[in-house]
Amino acid sequence: MKILAVDSSAVTASVCLSEDRKICGEFFVNTRQKHSRTLMPMLENLLQCTGVSLAEIDLFAVSEGPGSFTGVRIGVSCVKGLAMPFDKPCVGISSLEAMARNLTATEGILCAVMDARCGQVYNALFSCEGGVLRRLTPDRAIAMEDLAAECSTYQKPIYLVGDGAELCAAKEQRFSEIKAALVPEAIRYQRASGVAAAAYDAFLRGEVISADRLAPVYLRPPQAQRARKS
């Protein structure tokens, strides 16, 4: 089964083509350029390099959030536009789960974090044993000090992954006290290959949807809405 996956939920952006868990090709950029400029050229080059057409894709996948409101919308809109003409199934994947997929060779607690600003991070905790991820918490917005306190209750090694990992390590002393490890930058950020891996499992569980039902997932209302209510 060929899966075309997209991630644009944070500063980084990536696209990936996988077939039966094998990564056929992946493009990744961390240049702070607008995703509306980078995604489509990367997708075009990916398909050209792998010799695969959109009509041959069996499943379209995208990180549906949490993350940058604009970035998530761009990624979801892109995948909807690609899948609809071919009436192909889609699946939305948690950005936090996608980044945790980078560490399936690790044993311990994976603390996936994205900078949510306002003193909070988007977070989910996962346990990884024998290459199998088990979700411990739902995706949520949480204060860094509360997250550090929760992580301190686990006896297993803690690994910080995501664009908020360095922020947590630098700002919250308790992460140092529990010796939470900041994973290397090469595997720190969410990647489309992680989205593809999670999408394959979602497909096996029968969790695919039609393109018209694909939608962003926000854990907090956009800043403009919060400002109007204040």
Side-chain angles (χ1 to χ4, degrees), residues 76-88:
V76 170
S77 298
C78 174
V79 168
K80 287 170 73 78
L82 294 173
M84 277 185 175
F86 301 98
D87 195 26
K88 293 295 180 71

Side-chain angles (χ1 to χ4, degrees), residues 3 41 45 53 113 145 152 160 179 191-192:
I3 300 176
N45 288 331
S53 68
V113 282
E145 58 267 28
S152 68
L160 296 170
K179 298 181 179 179
R191 306 180 71 103

Side-chain angles (χ1 to χ4, degrees), residues 142-223:
I142 185 173
M144 283 186 284
E145 58 267 28
D146 293 337
L147 176 59
E150 182 176 348
C151 286
S152 68
T153 65
Y154 291 97
Q155 301 302 312
K156 297 179 180 180
I158 305 291
Y159 297 92
L160 296 170
V161 60
D163 66 7
E166 189 172 6
L167 176 67
C168 286
K171 295 291 186 180
E172 184 51 50
Q173 178 64 29
R174 189 171 296 188
F175 281 114
S176 297
E177 294 173 358
I178 62 176
K179 298 181 179 179
L182 184 65
V183 303
E185 188 171 1
I187 55 173
R188 188 179 304 164
Y189 304 106
Q190 58 269 53
R191 306 180 71 103
S193 53
V195 176
Y200 188 89
D201 290 338
F203 173 82
L204 295 179
R205 295 191 300 266
E207 297 176 357
V208 301
I209 58 176
S210 59
D212 63 299
R213 293 178 56 200
L214 198 62
V217 174
Y218 302 134
L219 297 183
R220 299 188 317 195
Q223 176 61 34

Side-chain angles (χ1 to χ4, degrees), residues 7 9-14 28 63 66 95-96 98-99 102 114 162-163 187-192:
D7 183 280
S9 58
V11 173
T12 61
S14 58
F28 175 91
S63 53
S95 309
L96 297 164
M99 66 178 68
N102 294 349
M114 302 175 70
D163 66 7
I187 55 173
R188 188 179 304 164
Y189 304 106
Q190 58 269 53
R191 306 180 71 103

